[in-house]
């Protein structure tokens, strides 16, 4: 590692930060040597109703995976995000909302948010929603989405937020899996000046007979656009709020009672309902938010994620609000009405901390200096990234052009499953290396293993595993604990397998190299190859499909699909478009293939397994590196696929 690519901690950052190098080392050491003592002390940042006596009760043994933290303590998550701030900072801003239209914005104080949440919690109760019921939230990025999530938490209902870009089919699947009683949505969303028919999508999802579990749809009026209305089923949010009482005692919840489920893609099967519980999750989200972003009271913090993803849950809503921070919620897209929108929002709201994804950075970078033109940017103090490996070029552009070479960049590695950040620099403690997520957070014990599960020492590369539990870890897959154990604890026994590969350098820094399983990362969105393949083969003209990820300059990875048509169907550009539309309808715009290649057959082993490795090499022009293909059932398809690929270029 050359010295030129090392960015030492500045003396000012170290002096002002909560965590300097010595503090990091001492705390990390304590956290792994004596996790009980460490987390007992950290848990003081939570307002417990009944204090816990037990701290960590966790087992990664694949015969009996069981993860419990603070199990006999009780708390209410919404009270931790709202009520306890009222005396100290009730009139400070909890949420700054910036609308899609630059003329629209709102500021909401902690007191106002508490008021809204209490009312909506009462309204939900009035609709017969109780502790343990699942509420699906399919909403745009408006303040009411925070109100809805916190109101669920207040009464002990489990929220299941579904990204507003998912199709009616994808929404229906999640509603059915969660056996959801109520859906909260908006008439329409607004993104980049375009309307998104959210209520229409819910109506369509509910035509699926298996969604009969849904009793009510609560609709926030966002655009006032025309929607269909079913008087016995649909209710306006505003009508409920008009009559709801504003006093709602927060429900006393066990630390291990569910807070939410959130669906994410894996290498096989349907999306999994990742289950997070209350006490450990909230503690971990709050502590990481404070330490990684070095959050200081009064600062304005902006995470550009959508609440439909885990980043939105932990670092727009729960972490910041538990810490009494001011969190910015942005409704729109980065380049509307123009390429300087992000810069303008930073200046308008004097944002101190910006947390975004490499794909957003690359699309700003593609504009050259234009994206920051005329921007002041002097309010910024810290920059963060998440979602995919950041290429050093994008890192440097972010650091120099957005941060004016004075703001540390925290490259945070984590997953839906981990609940919060596991590997990241701490700005006052960690010298930065562009492209490296650097070192583990408190309590996190990463390891690298070979394909047989042997732990590797020193500077090396391998499969990234985590060797012991941390409080923010997912507890199960909703109503499918066996799948949880199989997915995460069977590949390497006794270890949590992340699905990522990583390299560890001579300084002990981790460099995430990307997924080692059949999961794609497209613009920071996780997608299972199996999910896209099953959407493809659901089309009546498709016999078989195989999906691989290929490097893409803006999205990180693009989606490349090999399609075999059923006998008698002919390839055509029109059919290609039809299939792209089909995937958009089945899953959503984020899953639309970048490339569809017609394939007379697919390379398979004699036992019928598709050799994706070969397909990936063909798609990325590594035709000399195919390896041994003689063991394939039909080696003859390979030269044919190479030829078609070359013709397409
Ligand atoms: C990838 C998002 C490199 C990784 C919080 C992981 C990253 C998957 C980084 C989880 C990073 C996330 N550097 N890769 N800083 N952060 N990833 O569940 O492959 O949507 O397994 O959670 O994103 O995606 P998920």
């Amino acid at each position: 590692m050359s010295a030129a690519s090392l960015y030492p901690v500045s003396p000012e950052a170290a002096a002002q930060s909560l965590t300097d190098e010595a503090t990091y080392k001492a705390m990390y050491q304590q956290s792994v040597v004596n996790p009980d003592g460490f987390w007992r002390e950290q848990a003081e940042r939570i307002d417990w109703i009944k204090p816990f006596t037990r701290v960590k009760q966790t087992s990664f043994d694949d015969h009996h995976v069981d993860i419990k933290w603070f199990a006999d303590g009780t708390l209410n998550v919404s009270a931790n995000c709202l009520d306890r701030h009222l005396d100290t900072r009730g009139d400070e801003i909890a949420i700054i909302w910036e609308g899609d239209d630059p003329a629209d914005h709102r500021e909401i104080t902690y007191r106002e948010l508490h008021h809204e949440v209490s009312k909506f919690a009462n309204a939900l109760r009035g609709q017969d929603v109780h502790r343990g019921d699942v509420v699906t939230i399919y909403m745009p990025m408006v303040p009411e989405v925070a109100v809805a999530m916190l109101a669920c938490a207040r009464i002990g209902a489990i929220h299941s937020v579904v990204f507003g870009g998912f199709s009616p089919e994808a929404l229906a699947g999640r509603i059915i899996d969660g056996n959801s009683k109520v859906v909260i949505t908006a008439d329409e969303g607004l993104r980049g000046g375009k309307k998104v028919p959210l209520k229409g999508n819910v109506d369509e999802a509910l035509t699926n007979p298996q969604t009969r579990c849904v009793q009510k749809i609560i609709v926030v009026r966002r655009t006032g656009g025309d929607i269909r209305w079913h008087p016995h089923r649909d209710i306006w949010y505003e009508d409920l709020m008009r009559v709801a009482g504003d006093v709602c005692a927060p429900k006393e919840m066990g630390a291990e009672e569910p807070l939410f489920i959130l669906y994410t893609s894996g290498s096989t099967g349907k999306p999994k309902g990742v289950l997070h519980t209350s006490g450990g999750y909230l503690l971990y989200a709050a502590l990481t938010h404070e330490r990684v972003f070095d959050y200081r009271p009064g600062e304005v913090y902006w995470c550009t994620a959508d609440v439909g993803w885990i980043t939105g849950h932990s670092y727009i809503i729960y972490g910041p609000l538990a810490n009494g921070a001011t969190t910015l919620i942005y409704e729109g897209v980065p380049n509307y009405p123009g390429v300087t929108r992000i810069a303008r929002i930073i200046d308008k709201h004097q944002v101190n901390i910006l947390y975004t994804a490499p794909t957003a950075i690359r699309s700003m970078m593609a504009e050259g200096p234009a994206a920051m033109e005329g921007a002041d940017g002097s309010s910024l103090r810290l920059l963060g990234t998440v979602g995919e490996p950041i290429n050093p070029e994008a890192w440097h552009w972010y650091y120099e052009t957005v941060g004016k070479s004075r703001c540390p960049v925290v490259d945070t590695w984590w997953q839906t499953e981990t609940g919060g950040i596991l590997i990241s620099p701490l700005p006052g403690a960690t010298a930065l290396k562009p492209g490296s997520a650097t070192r583990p957070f408190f309590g996190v014990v990463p390891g690298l293993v070979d394909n047989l599960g042997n732990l590797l020492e020193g500077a090396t590369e391998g499969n990234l595993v985590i060797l012991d539990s941390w409080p923010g870890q997912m507890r199960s897959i909703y109503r499918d604990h066996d799948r949880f154990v199989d997915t995460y604890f069977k590949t390497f026994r006794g270890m949590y397998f992340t699905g990522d590969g990583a390299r560890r350098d001579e300084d002990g820094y981790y460099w995430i190299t990307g997924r080692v399983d059949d999961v794609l990362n497209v613009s920071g969105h996780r997608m299972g190859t199996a999910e896209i393949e099953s959407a493809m083969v659901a089309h009546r003209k498709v016999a078989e499909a195989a999906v691989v990820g290929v490097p893409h300059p803006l999205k990180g990875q693009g989606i490349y699909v090999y399609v075999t048509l059923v006998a008698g169907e002919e390839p055509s550009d029109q059919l290609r478009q039809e299939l792209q539309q089909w995937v958009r309808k089945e899953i959503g715009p984020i899953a639309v293939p970048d490339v569809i290649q017609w394939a007379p057959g697919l390379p398979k082993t004699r036992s019928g397994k598709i050799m994706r490795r070969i397909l990936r090499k063909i798609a990325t022009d590594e035709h000399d590196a195919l390896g041994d293909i003689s063991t394939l059932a039909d080696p003859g398809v390979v030269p044919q696929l190479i030829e078609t690929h070359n013709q397409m270029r």
Side-chain angles (χ1 to χ4, degrees):
M1 181 52 47
S2 70
S5 47
L6 188 73
Y7 291 75
V9 177
S10 73
E12 307 88 87
Q16 287 169 17
S17 166
L18 273 172
T19 330
D20 62 11
E21 174 69 354
T23 313
Y24 168 73
K25 285 211 159 119
M27 288 176 74
Y28 183 76
Q29 187 65 12
Q30 195 210 348
S31 74
V32 296
V33 172
N34 177 10
D36 260 61
F38 178 84
W39 290 110
R40 181 182 295 280
E41 204 174 296
Q42 295 304 323
E44 285 171 17
R45 69 186 304 127
I46 299 296
D47 270 9
W48 299 94
I49 298 172
K50 180 160 99 37
F52 56 86
T53 61
R54 304 289 298 270
V55 179
K56 180 175 185 288
Q57 294 163 281
T58 66
S59 162
F60 282 7
D61 174 349
D62 67 335
H63 296 297
H64 181 68
V65 176
D66 191 23
I67 296 154
K68 291 198 185 81
W69 286 85
F70 317 109
D72 59 351
T74 64
L75 76 161
N76 180 278
V77 169
S78 99
N80 272 276
C81 292
L82 301 170
D83 306 48
R84 66 169 170 161
H85 301 316
L86 296 181
D87 286 345
T88 47
R89 49 170 75 91
D91 299 316
E92 289 172 20
I93 309 297
I95 293 175
I96 298 175
W97 177 72
E98 169 80 8
D100 187 56
D101 179 336
D104 276 351
H105 79 260
R106 264 174 80 187
E107 291 181 347
I108 300 163
T109 65
Y110 273 95
R111 200 174 309 288
E112 290 162 344
L113 188 59
H114 174 261
H115 182 79
E116 297 288 293
V117 169
S118 300
K119 283 173 69 169
F120 193 55
N122 283 329
L124 284 177
R125 275 200 182 130
Q127 298 306 313
D128 203 28
V129 176
H130 301 288
R131 172 190 220 138
D133 289 343
V134 175
V135 173
T136 298
I137 298 178
Y138 182 68
M139 279 176 76
M141 291 286 286
V142 291
E144 288 79 5
V145 77
V147 173
M149 291 164 76
L150 291 164
C152 288
R154 199 165 188 87
I155 62 174
I158 305 168
H159 59 68
S160 166
V161 182
V162 178
F163 174 53
F166 277 127
S167 68
E169 278 78 359
L171 171 64
R174 287 155 173 81
I175 288 172
I176 294 163
D177 188 79
N179 197 26
S180 189
K181 210 168 186 178
V182 166
V183 179
I184 307 171
T185 189
D187 50 359
E188 294 172 312
L190 204 53
R191 283 169 61 78
K194 295 197 203 81
K195 292 177 172 174
V196 186
L198 294 173
K199 170 64 163 61
N201 288 350
V202 176
D203 289 340
E204 204 179 319
L206 296 197
T207 59
N208 182 323
Q210 286 173 278
T211 58
R212 248 178 247 123
C213 48
V214 175
Q215 294 165 7
K216 296 285 176 195
I217 303 179
I218 300 174
V219 187
V220 173
R221 196 188 300 272
R222 170 64 189 101
T223 64
D226 264 351
I227 54 173
R228 275 189 298 159
W229 199 255
H230 303 259
H232 299 296
R233 189 193 67 186
D234 303 346
I235 321 163
W236 286 109
Y237 176 90
E238 60 196 36
D239 289 345
L240 288 174
M241 291 295 267
R242 200 173 307 118
V243 295
D246 61 3
V247 179
C248 176
K251 188 114 198 145
E252 179 173 359
M253 301 295 291
E256 284 301 341
E257 282 189 77
L259 177 62
F260 64 85
I261 48 184
L262 181 60
Y263 288 83
T264 193
S265 298
S267 46
T268 56
K270 287 187 302 178
K272 304 179 285 256
V274 168
L275 177 76
H276 282 288
T277 57
S278 302
Y281 169 80
L282 186 68
L283 167 60
Y284 198 76
L287 181 68
T288 48
H289 173 261
E290 181 188 66
R291 295 281 170 159
V292 172
F293 302 108
D294 208 10
Y295 186 79
R296 301 167 197 171
E299 286 190 325
V300 175
Y301 161 89
W302 180 21
C303 166
T304 69
D306 192 282
V307 283
W309 312 116
I310 190 68
T311 308
H313 283 59
S314 301
Y315 299 114
I316 295 178
I317 308 292
Y318 290 114
L321 295 178
N323 290 337
T326 299
T327 184
L328 194 150
I329 296 183
Y330 173 45
E331 183 177 37
V333 297
N335 57 359
Y336 177 85
V339 296
T340 56
R341 185 68 191 273
I342 291 192
R344 283 175 191 275
I345 296 174
I346 292 168
D347 285 347
K348 176 175 174 186
H349 298 293
Q350 292 291 291
V351 171
N352 304 110
I353 302 166
L354 176 68
Y355 188 30
T356 191
T359 185
I361 297 167
R362 286 191 299 266
S363 54
M364 284 172 83
M365 189 169 86
E367 304 293 338
M372 294 305 288
E373 203 143 279
D376 171 39
S378 61
S379 58
L380 286 174
R381 180 177 66 71
L382 183 75
L383 304 173
T385 83
V386 59
E388 48 174 320
I390 182 163
N391 47 313
E393 198 193 356
W395 193 101
H396 282 111
W397 187 85
Y398 195 33
Y399 181 77
E400 284 152 23
T401 310
V402 179
K404 309 272 159 44
S405 302
R406 32 170 210 84
C407 307
V409 174
V410 291
D411 175 355
T412 65
W413 173 84
W414 59 296
Q415 310 179 295
T416 306
E417 294 87 338
T418 70
I421 296 164
L422 293 198
I423 302 181
S424 169
L426 301 185
T430 316
L432 308 171
K433 294 183 190 181
S436 172
T438 78
R439 301 185 296 189
F441 192 73
F442 307 135
V444 175
V445 191
L448 297 177
V449 296
D450 64 17
N451 288 340
L452 298 173
N454 301 304
L455 271 173
L456 307 171
E457 299 293 326
T460 184
E461 189 166 338
N463 301 297
L464 180 64
V465 295
I466 311 292
L467 300 175
D468 199 359
S469 183
W470 63 99
Q473 183 172 24
M474 73 185 283
R475 301 302 197 253
S476 196
I477 290 174
Y478 190 60
R479 296 196 304 197
D480 198 350
H481 197 68
D482 288 346
R483 189 173 176 204
F484 173 59
V485 177
D486 287 347
T487 309
Y488 302 105
F489 298 94
K490 286 260 198 256
T491 318
F492 304 114
R493 300 185 98 177
M495 306 172 189
Y496 167 79
F497 179 42
T498 63
D500 280 318
R503 180 164 73 78
R504 185 170 50 220
D505 72 14
E506 56 284 5
D507 295 324
Y509 276 33
Y510 287 84
W511 301 71
I512 309 298
T513 51
R515 302 290 301 197
V516 295
D517 55 7
D518 292 324
V519 171
L520 305 185
N521 192 327
V522 181
S523 301
H525 303 321
R526 251 170 91 160
M527 242 164 314
T529 48
E531 243 174 291
I532 306 172
E533 286 163 5
S534 74
M536 293 294 278
V537 299
H539 190 282
R540 64 183 175 84
K541 294 182 185 167
V542 175
E544 213 170 15
V547 172
V548 296
V550 290
H552 185 284
L554 289 182
K555 302 192 209 172
Q557 270 187 318
I559 302 173
Y560 195 113
V561 192
Y562 295 86
V563 172
T564 307
L565 295 174
V566 299
E569 292 297 338
E570 287 301 318
S572 68
D573 283 345
Q574 196 197 334
L575 180 54
R576 187 175 273 132
Q577 278 166 22
E578 189 180 319
L579 293 178
Q580 281 169 323
Q581 277 311 313
W582 176 261
V583 176
R584 175 183 296 265
K585 183 181 128 325
E586 289 284 302
I587 305 175
I590 56 174
V592 173
D594 295 278
V595 181
I596 292 178
Q597 174 174 341
W598 309 114
L602 295 170
K604 289 186 193 160
T605 60
R606 292 204 181 110
S607 61
K609 187 172 164 354
I610 296 175
M611 296 295 286
R612 270 175 233 281
R613 182 178 53 81
I614 292 173
L615 292 173
R616 214 173 285 128
K617 296 247 151 93
I618 295 173
T620 53
D621 294 314
E622 295 169 76
H623 304 162
D624 301 335
L626 295 176
D628 183 12
I629 59 169
S630 63
T631 56
L632 294 178
D634 175 11
V637 298
V638 173
Q640 290 182 22
L641 292 176
I642 293 177
E643 197 186 319
T644 324
H645 171 81
N646 287 341
Q647 282 164 2
M648 287 167 61
R649 298 172 63 217

